[in-house]
Amino acid sequence: MRGAGVFDGWATERNSKVDGPNLSPLPMGEGTAGAVRPSARGSAGTELLLCGMPDLTSPGATRHVVVMGAGPAGLSAAYELTRHRTPVTVVEKDPRQVGGIARTLEFMGCRFDARPHGFATKRADTAALWTEVLGDEIRSVSRLTRIMYRGKFFDYPIKASNAFLNLGPYETARCLVSYAQARLRPVVDPQSFEDWVSNQFGRRLFEIFFKTYTEKVWGIPTSELSADWAGQRIRGLNLVEVIRNAVLPAAWRGGGERAVVKTLVDAFRYPRKGAGQMWEAVASRLAAAGHPVRLGEEVVAVRHANGRVISVQVKDRNGGTLDVLGSEFISTMPIRELIAKLQPAAPSIVRAAADALGYRDFITVNVVVDRAHVFPDQWIYVHDPGVKVGRIGNFKNFSSSMVDDSGLTGLGMEYFCFEKDGMWSWPDADLLDLGRRELVALGIVRPEEVKAGMVYRQPKAYPVYDGAYLGHLEVIREWLRRALPNLWLVGRNGMHHYNNQDHSMMTGILVARNIALGANYDPWLVNTDAEYHEEERAGEAAGGDGGAGRQVPQRIAS
């Protein structure tokens, strides 16, 4: 039973580790790649994790693949392997649910994604896979997302006419004067995000639309973030261009740095019952093919010898340990954890590089609101500095099926933090009370309308790109390439790449093809350009960063 309780009229639920259905296949014998053998400290008995005969003409026929993690990347890899009749076993430490950060939680007749996940992609094959798995259960949704600041909603991407109308004449005048000052006396050779954006928009608009939210998400003062990130994400954009794009016909705007800023997607696809429905469906297909995801099995060691990984040791829900044998291994675990679990240990320089990789975590406070309509957006970005919440998802606006009772609304409030922060260890009661108070303070609901809530904690949600991460990552990649060529890294945490969901999927699919077909795809070249729900310039190719990877904040180089 999940940890639950009632206090002050609030029902609460925490994402604790709980028992779930036993998905282990029947015992079948031993001595085969993919078998589970008892550890010296584990329980007795030997199992074969695979059923079905592979196609003996396939390059993957003599291989057995072990996938660590059942999020979008791991499940996509496993699904692609089954397409090529390559035996696969997926182990997942969560005892009851697949999907990773893309899971959907259920509480009191409402469904909440761990964080908002629209399904958008530039790849036809990825879109076709979504349709193949869910059919009519995945549908098109018209997108609406806005910025909330001081009780008013601003268009996102920012539109000058809308912004100045909402700000009013006095605040607009302050912004224009601030911009003029910035143009007359700009910071020469700006090194920080704060100085760079202030040069482009003026100090006042920077404080309204950039400073608060950026600091909430990354936990780093904007005065310490590198200007390089701002230059790469919003290069060529300034207040004059925003106004020009708002008032001039498209034919008069010109090209180059004056190119139109366009929204990349006005619609996305979404499963009827939440993002997690996709991954539950993939897991069901794997089980039907004889490769059920083994829930409640946490990887505690990755064992290697003679230049190859030979097994992963897992601890099951009863505390017993087993070795899962294989010929190829795919990891979606955070790199820092993967390197720490290698036996024998990696060289000290590799361990030090892995230990230096950082992660940003988040908490979602999910509340059930006794109101049919709260706001029309799928999510809003909260720029008010007076509250801690960074983003609020309204899952009913993704799909009406996200609530069983149409008179209710489910809101997911995102709080960005580090595990070492005090907030991470706050009692659920305190977090729920914070969420209720902030919804009221923002004018979104009345206190009595918030009926119940649950808290979900997601560790290592975002890989942090500090000034040294690329060097650390290169040390790890180079050593793994030479020392353990049958260990593949995929996904957001598995590669320490801030990928979108479809990018993570593609890394898993490409690695699966490499294994099953003997192909030579490089998953590290998977497109990781600006997020599809953000924006790009008309006529500018996506991924214009030259393949350097998705840009996220970096501290100023020392």
Side-chain angles (χ1 to χ4, degrees), residues 107 336 461:
F107 178 70
R336 192 167 69 191

Side-chain angles (χ1 to χ4, degrees), residues 531-554:
E531 186 171 353
Y532 293 143
H533 296 302
E534 307 299 331
E535 61 196 35
E536 71 169 357
R537 298 187 172 282
E540 178 182 275
D545 55 12
R550 176 143 180 223
Q551 300 302 325
V552 300
Q554 299 183 10

Side-chain angles (χ1 to χ4, degrees), residues 205-491:
L205 275 177
F206 159 74
E207 291 172 346
I208 294 172
F209 290 115
F210 296 91
K211 178 179 174 63
T212 301
Y213 186 75
T214 300
E215 292 184 345
K216 284 181 182 180
V217 172
W218 295 107
I220 303 172
T222 53
S223 59
E224 297 180 20
L225 296 181
S226 171
D228 292 342
W229 177 60
Q232 291 156 346
R233 287 290 282 153
I234 51 178
R235 63 183 181 277
L237 183 62
N238 55 44
L239 185 59
V240 170
E241 187 177 348
V242 170
I243 295 173
R244 179 187 295 112
N245 290 334
V247 301
L248 293 181
W252 294 7
R253 295 171 186 164
E257 293 300 330
R258 298 184 178 184
V260 179
V261 175
K262 66 172 184 177
T263 300
L264 196 56
V265 289
D266 296 317
F268 55 86
R269 300 173 76 192
Y270 189 74
R272 186 171 64 88
K273 291 191 175 181
Q277 183 181 3
M278 175 67 68
W279 306 114
E280 297 288 350
V282 171
S284 294
R285 284 174 172 249
L286 290 172
H291 314 301
V293 176
R294 296 181 64 88
L295 294 171
E297 296 194 355
E298 179 181 3
V299 175
V300 294
V302 178
R303 293 178 167 170
H304 60 98
N306 301 319
R308 296 184 69 81
V309 175
I310 56 175
S311 71
V312 295
Q313 184 184 75
V314 299
K315 180 173 66 175
D316 64 24
R317 67 187 75 216
N318 298 317
T321 54
L322 298 170
D323 282 326
V324 184
L325 308 180
S327 60
E328 303 283 338
F329 295 81
I330 299 175
S331 174
T332 70
M333 288 193 298
I335 289 178
R336 192 167 69 191
E337 293 183 9
L338 172 68
I339 297 300
K341 291 176 179 180
L342 288 174
Q343 293 183 358
S348 59
I349 188 174
V350 177
R351 298 198 307 273
D355 288 342
L357 295 177
Y359 302 87
R360 188 72 164 152
D361 316 293
F362 75 75
I363 299 169
T364 52
V365 175
N366 301 299
V367 298
V368 178
V369 177
D370 190 11
R371 191 198 297 179
H373 303 288
V374 178
F375 53 78
D377 312 65
Q378 282 86 36
W379 65 85
I380 57 176
Y381 301 96
V382 182
H383 285 216
D384 285 70
V387 294
K388 294 180 179 294
V389 65
R391 181 166 60 169
I392 304 175
N394 187 337
F395 296 105
K396 186 177 185 178
N397 294 336
F398 285 78
S399 168
S400 60
S401 297
M402 294 293 278
V403 293
D404 292 341
D405 182 344
S406 61
L408 301 177
T409 296
L411 301 180
M413 307 176 67
E414 292 182 63
Y415 292 90
F416 308 97
C417 61
F418 295 109
E419 282 189 83
K420 62 185 178 183
D421 290 347
M423 175 180 278
W424 182 262
S425 58
W426 283 10
D428 288 1
D430 292 351
L431 290 166
L432 288 165
D433 184 60
L434 173 68
R436 175 170 54 178
R437 287 188 287 105
E438 293 200 336
L439 283 174
V440 173
L442 291 168
I444 293 175
V445 301
R446 297 187 299 273
E448 65 274 13
E449 291 179 316
V450 183
K451 296 300 183 184
M454 62 169 290
V455 169
Y456 177 79
R457 293 167 172 83
Q458 178 63 53
K460 298 179 176 62
Y462 303 105
V464 172
Y465 286 18
D466 58 31
Y469 96 97
L470 275 176
H472 298 316
L473 193 57
E474 182 58 29
V475 169
I476 296 164
R477 287 181 57 189
E478 178 60 21
W479 181 77
L480 288 176
R481 184 185 65 80
R482 292 184 292 103
L484 301 173
N486 67 330
L487 177 59
W488 306 80
L489 308 184
V490 301

Side-chain angles (χ1 to χ4, degrees), residues 62-75:
T62 59
R63 297 190 174 105
H64 173 75
V65 185
V66 179
V67 178
M68 294 171 264
L75 289 176

